[in-house]
Amino acid sequence: MKNIVKILSLFLVVTTVMMSCKKDKDPATADFFVGTYKGSVSYNKDGTSITSQDGKVTVTKVDDTYSFFFGSGIPDIKGVKFEKQDDNTYVSIGNGLTGIKINASSLVMLVSNDGATWTANCER
């Protein structure tokens, strides 16, 4: 009986240690830059220009792609993928969606796609 108690105690200690030593997640998988950024935003296409110094961009994630919702009549940007550039900073990749640099505290964007241009210089 003592051996069974010792084995169960050892099992509980090992399980507790393993759970408390869990590795930190990669920020990209933890969605650390999902949220709302505020600052200057703009959009230009075919003579239409929308600019706001008090704008906002809301970033969401579905699976491995991100979407940027601007409000203020600025069209959204959807289906953006990222790759890690350096410590906790990511840059957009893919056709027509390059030019976005994001981390937990700032969003900088200069995207040109289909004759339209989006810019953002925002923080949170």
Side-chain angles (χ1 to χ4, degrees):
M1 186 68 167
K2 285 184 179 183
N3 285 338
I4 292 174
V5 171
K6 285 181 184 179
I7 291 171
L8 286 175
S9 297
L10 181 62
F11 175 75
L12 288 173
V13 169
V14 169
T15 303
T16 302
V17 169
M18 288 175 58
M19 290 178 72
S20 65
C21 292
K22 183 178 172 183
K23 281 188 164 184
D24 291 337
K25 285 185 163 186
D26 180 2
T29 61
D31 303 331
F32 82 113
F33 50 75
V34 169
T36 301
Y37 295 78
K38 295 181 180 179
S40 63
V41 296
S42 70
Y43 172 78
N44 293 294
K45 183 175 183 177
D46 299 332
T48 300
S49 181
I50 303 169
T51 302
S52 176
Q53 296 300 314
D54 220 11
K56 70 176 186 173
V57 181
T58 301
V59 182
T60 63
K61 180 181 179 185
V62 175
D63 296 324
D64 64 343
T65 63
Y66 291 82
S67 296
F68 296 81
F69 299 96
F70 291 85
S72 304
I74 297 175
D76 304 326
I77 298 175
K78 298 178 182 176
V80 181
K81 292 190 177 193
F82 286 89
E83 70 180 13
K84 190 171 186 175
Q85 183 179 40
D86 55 37
D87 290 342
N88 301 326
T89 298
Y90 288 77
V91 293
S92 58
I93 57 174
N95 290 336
L97 296 174
T98 58
I100 303 171
K101 186 175 180 180
I102 191 167
N103 62 37
S105 61
S106 67
L107 166 65
V108 178
M109 176 185 299
L110 175 57
V111 174
S112 291
N113 190 7
D114 292 332
T117 303
W118 291 259
T119 66
N121 189 3
C122 301
E123 296 191 3
R124 63 174 172 171

